[in-house]
Amino acid sequence: MRITNVSGHALSSPIDPPQERRFHGGVRRLLKRDVVLVVVETAGGDRGVATAGASSSAMREYFEGDSQGTFADVVDDEVADALEGETIDEPADAADPIGDLNLPERLHAEARSAVDVALWDLRGKEAGAPIYELLCEEYDTEPTREMPLYASAGMYMEPEGYAEQAETLEELGFFGYKYRPGIGPDGDERTVDLLAEATDGMEVMLDVHTWWKIRDGYDRETVRDIVSHAADRGCYWVEEPVAPDDRDGYRDLAGTGAPLAGGESEPTPEGLVELGETGAVDFLQGDVRHHHGYTGCRPAVEFCDGRDVEFVPHNFGTWVGLLANAHLVAAAPDVSLLEYPVFEDDPVLDAGDDPDPGMYPFDLAFDILDGEPSVEDGRLTVPDGPGLGIEVDLDVVDDYPFEEGPWTEFHYDGE
């Protein structure tokens, strides 16, 4: 396929009014969510799409000097210059032209990932087949279009609030409930206890990156105590309990017997495999939006195949990212579970008279798609149309103009 146009569109979904969440040592303000929509077009008139950077910092809370506007400009300029006019036979063929751009590591990973997904979307459209069928040929597997979802929600609230949210999501049929603790050691342990009592068969996961990311995080002994307590109460996993590069920390906590998860913050696909090789994680969380697309995630998937570590894609953005990762789950061997982020007023979730289980508003997550994913009783059915099997509503480019600035702010006590 000959590439004729590559474009990046930075978009913002405001949280208006901003929301404030109390955490251990301060207050977090949620201002917006950012997305970059990447569109690749061919001489044949087909269009492949992907999303990147579901927040203004991709996998980090702080952007460290750039913005999603910057990344969109890189796509429009350097990436477009490298690919436009080129004939691409396989999605992996785009790796070298992008690698030759000498981009910073994070921007390189975002560009590789978005372009790879968009090219697989195009490849599927050319073949008249969904991406999962093409991936099944690569993996020599049979597709599994229907998959369980775990609800990703619960951000900094009172312990009773987590329990109430979990009860609603269990009624909606989700396999599991993942939440963000970090409200203080006592509050975190009480939350674990309340969730164990409130849920009846639904798994509970802790996403605890707050413990190492905030300025005054928990000390190592406190982390170990809470992780051990979570294991004792039957939690399904504890995610990112230490900084991503703290391999010894992972190994130490694995000694508690707690199931550990990690990988979303690994900057490269090679880092995913290296984390798996530590033997300290039970769940490896690659993401086609961050780890060089389907092409980049394959070594990690194959590493997990036949080992006592399960590949469970990370996904925390729009419905486009959800369905992109869903195609991988449908095709990859021994991969079955997918993360479903729950935002306010989700149109495919009907909580009835129960409180809305969403974390905060993110209207762009839904509006970016022309249509809705097929979600029923906590299970997703992957679309079987060509490519991703979806249509992006390009009106979002005008409806959600980009707003500079961080998507979230941390304000610490005593400042």
Side-chain angles (χ1 to χ4, degrees):
M1 47 192 165
R2 188 167 67 85
I3 307 301
T4 56
N5 189 67
V6 179
S7 57
H9 308 276
L11 312 172
S12 293
S13 187
I15 299 174
D16 187 18
Q19 295 189 5
E20 294 191 348
R21 305 293 173 85
R22 183 79 194 175
F23 65 92
H24 178 64
V27 173
R28 180 176 183 174
R29 299 190 77 229
L30 303 169
L31 307 172
K32 60 170 183 167
R33 288 294 300 271
D34 294 333
V35 177
V36 173
L37 173 64
V38 175
V39 182
V40 179
E41 299 176 72
T42 68
D46 289 323
R47 176 187 293 139
V49 298
T51 51
S55 73
S56 62
S57 54
M59 294 172 285
R60 302 182 187 277
E61 303 297 350
Y62 297 103
F63 199 82
E64 301 174 351
D66 290 319
S67 72
Q68 287 301 348
T70 302
F71 177 61
D73 289 341
V74 167
V75 174
D76 275 340
D77 297 333
E78 289 100 320
V79 176
D81 289 345
L83 296 179
E84 288 177 358
E86 297 294 319
T87 297
I88 303 292
D89 294 323
E90 299 290 339
D93 293 344
D96 286 343
I98 294 175
D100 290 342
L101 295 175
N102 195 31
L103 296 171
E105 183 176 62
R106 188 193 59 76
L107 292 179
H108 171 256
E110 293 291 298
R112 281 277 302 272
S113 303
V115 169
D116 188 83
V117 171
L119 290 175
W120 276 94
D121 187 23
L122 282 167
R123 185 181 173 198
K125 288 171 179 174
E126 282 195 341
I131 289 175
Y132 67 77
E133 284 191 4
L134 303 180
L135 292 174
C136 282
E137 294 176 4
E138 302 276 332
Y139 287 113
D140 192 23
T141 56
E142 292 295 324
T144 305
R145 289 184 58 209
E146 186 180 291
M147 62 197 63
L149 302 169
Y150 74 86
S152 187
M155 180 178 288
Y156 313 145
M157 59 180 76
E158 292 298 315
E160 292 77 11
Y162 290 113
E164 182 179 72
Q165 195 174 72
E167 289 174 342
T168 298
L169 291 165
E170 184 166 28
E171 290 175 3
L172 289 169
F174 284 96
F175 169 87
Y177 170 63
K178 187 172 81 175
Y179 68 101
R180 283 92 188 142
I183 59 174
D186 291 342
D188 286 348
E189 288 202 1
R190 174 166 167 74
T191 300
V192 168
D193 291 338
L194 288 181
L195 286 171
E197 297 166 5
T199 55
D200 182 21
M202 181 174 70
E203 302 292 352
V204 173
M205 302 92 154
L206 291 74
D207 185 354
V208 299
H209 61 274
T210 296
W211 294 350
W212 55 265
K213 192 173 291 184
I214 60 176
R215 187 177 64 188
D216 299 317
Y218 302 167
D219 60 35
R220 186 58 58 91
E221 183 177 355
T222 299
V223 168
R224 189 179 177 88
D225 287 345
I226 302 174
V227 169
S228 296
H229 184 71
D232 290 342
R233 296 309 303 260
C235 291
Y236 196 68
W237 75 52
V238 181
E239 180 176 330
E240 286 198 324
V242 294
D245 59 354
D246 186 0
R247 303 287 198 250
D248 288 339
Y250 270 106
R251 293 186 185 95
D252 176 62
L253 290 174
T256 67
L260 302 181
E264 70 173 82
S265 297
E266 290 295 333
T268 65
E270 293 79 12
L272 278 175
V273 175
E274 290 169 6
L275 179 60
E277 288 173 340
T278 64
V281 296
D282 301 89
F283 302 92
L284 198 58
Q285 298 169 302
D287 187 334
V288 299
R289 300 169 312 137
H290 298 308
H291 295 116
H292 301 185
Y294 300 106
T295 304
C297 283
R298 183 172 177 178
V301 170
E302 293 181 339
F303 169 82
C304 294
D305 188 22
R307 288 183 170 87
D308 291 331
V309 55
E310 182 177 346
F311 189 93
V312 181
H314 165 264
N315 171 63
F316 198 70
T318 71
W319 278 346
V320 175
L322 170 78
L323 294 171
N325 277 297
H327 280 273
L328 179 60
V329 175
D334 296 325
V335 179
S336 61
L337 185 61
L338 182 60
E339 179 175 11
Y340 187 92
V342 183
F343 302 110
E344 291 181 12
D345 300 317
D346 187 320
V348 303
L349 302 182
D350 182 7
D353 294 329
D354 293 323
D356 190 316
M359 287 173 286
Y360 47 76
F362 187 10
D363 294 342
L364 175 58
F366 318 129
D367 292 345
I368 197 169
L369 208 62
D370 185 6
E372 298 177 349
S374 176
V375 176
E376 186 173 356
D377 296 329
R379 300 182 69 86
L380 170 72
T381 300
V382 185
D384 60 359
L388 288 168
I390 61 175
E391 291 295 331
V392 166
D393 186 349
L394 292 178
D395 287 345
V396 296
V397 174
D398 295 322
D399 295 342
Y400 290 89
F402 181 66
E403 299 178 1
E404 281 287 357
W407 82 277
T408 186
E409 297 173 342
F410 286 78
H411 299 275
Y412 294 96
D413 296 341
E415 286 186 338

